[in-house]
């Protein structure tokens, strides 16, 4: 289904990527080919969808010509949805991140609140190194940390 004349090609690329992200929550990113196939399955056949997936919508690539920040290149040939905190080309500052709801067909409206939840949940993910904070403290609970380290070092000799 084509979303209509008001829908931008960039939005079609976002919908294709968002629908993959939603359908495969355990997969971090997708190949450009996977996203293009999904776009085709959804009926997005306008010229330019592939170019938006490869370049125009990608936040961390040089703008050419648009400043969209809808997708993120996680590795060469791999994309996922952009979220706050992702690095991006500074020339894309202020660029569009999500489609306007008035330009999305009713069947895709549910992607907007889903994305808001997904992006927030991912931002709140705990850094694996920070998650270690305080772990192991039971090892030296009866001993000052400096004394514990000194004792360990003395055993090296």
């Amino acid at each position: 289904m084509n979303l209509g004349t008001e829908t931008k090609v960039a939005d079609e690329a976002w919908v294709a990527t968002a629908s993959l992200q939603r359908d495969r929550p355990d997969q971090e990113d997708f190949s450009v080919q996977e996203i293009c196939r999904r776009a085709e399955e959804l009926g997005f056949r306008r010229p330019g969808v592939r170019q938006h997936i490869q370049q125009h919508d990608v936040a961390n690539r040089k703008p050419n010509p648009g400043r969209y920040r809808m997708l993120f290149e996680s590795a060469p040939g791999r994309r996922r949805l952009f979220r706050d905190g992702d690095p991006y080309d500074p020339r894309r500052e202020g660029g569009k991140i999500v489609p306007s709801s008035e330009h999305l067909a009713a069947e895709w409206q549910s992607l907007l609140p889903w994305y808001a939840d997904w992006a927030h949940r991912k931002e709140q993910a705990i850094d694996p190194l920070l998650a270690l904070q305080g772990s192991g403290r039971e090892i030296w609970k009866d001993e000052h940390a400096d004394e514990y380290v000194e004792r360990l070092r003395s055993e090296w000799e």
Side-chain angles (χ1 to χ4, degrees):
M1 173 190 155
N2 194 326
L3 296 178
T5 57
E6 289 188 55
T7 304
K8 296 185 180 302
V9 177
D11 296 346
E12 292 180 356
W14 185 90
V15 166
T17 308
S19 71
L20 278 171
Q21 266 329 152
R22 184 177 63 182
D23 292 351
R24 300 183 199 167
D26 295 333
Q27 192 170 337
E28 180 64 26
D29 60 9
F30 306 91
S31 71
V32 168
Q33 291 76 20
E34 286 176 285
I35 300 169
C36 288
R37 271 195 305 276
R38 176 59 63 100
E40 180 75 20
E41 291 167 7
L42 297 175
F44 305 146
R45 295 179 177 90
R46 292 195 287 176
V49 172
R50 175 177 283 278
Q51 190 59 33
H52 276 268
I53 294 165
Q54 289 179 320
Q55 173 67 40
H56 298 319
D57 287 5
V58 184
N60 52 334
R61 300 195 85 185
K62 176 184 166 199
N64 182 18
R67 299 182 319 143
Y68 298 121
R69 291 187 293 155
M70 301 175 100
L71 305 179
F72 182 79
E73 182 177 41
S74 51
R78 309 283 302 173
R79 306 284 185 272
R80 66 167 169 75
L81 294 174
F82 176 82
R83 58 182 173 241
D84 285 340
D86 284 340
Y88 60 88
D89 187 298
R91 293 168 288 188
R92 289 183 182 260
E93 180 68 39
K96 179 176 169 178
I97 296 173
V98 296
S100 300
S101 62
E102 60 267 11
H103 294 149
L104 284 182
E107 67 184 291
W108 301 117
Q109 291 292 320
S110 65
L111 287 173
L112 295 172
W114 168 85
Y115 171 76
D117 181 60
W118 175 86
H120 177 73
R121 193 172 55 248
K122 295 292 186 176
E123 285 176 23
Q124 299 302 318
I126 297 175
D127 181 293
L129 292 177
L130 294 177
L132 293 173
Q133 182 178 5
S135 66
R137 65 176 157 238
E138 66 280 353
I139 295 171
W140 60 79
K141 68 180 178 183
D142 297 326
E143 185 175 16
H144 188 277
D146 291 336
E147 293 170 3
Y148 173 75
V149 170
E150 186 60 37
R151 184 172 52 80
L152 287 178
R153 286 182 179 158
S154 70
E155 294 173 4
W156 293 349
E157 298 169 356

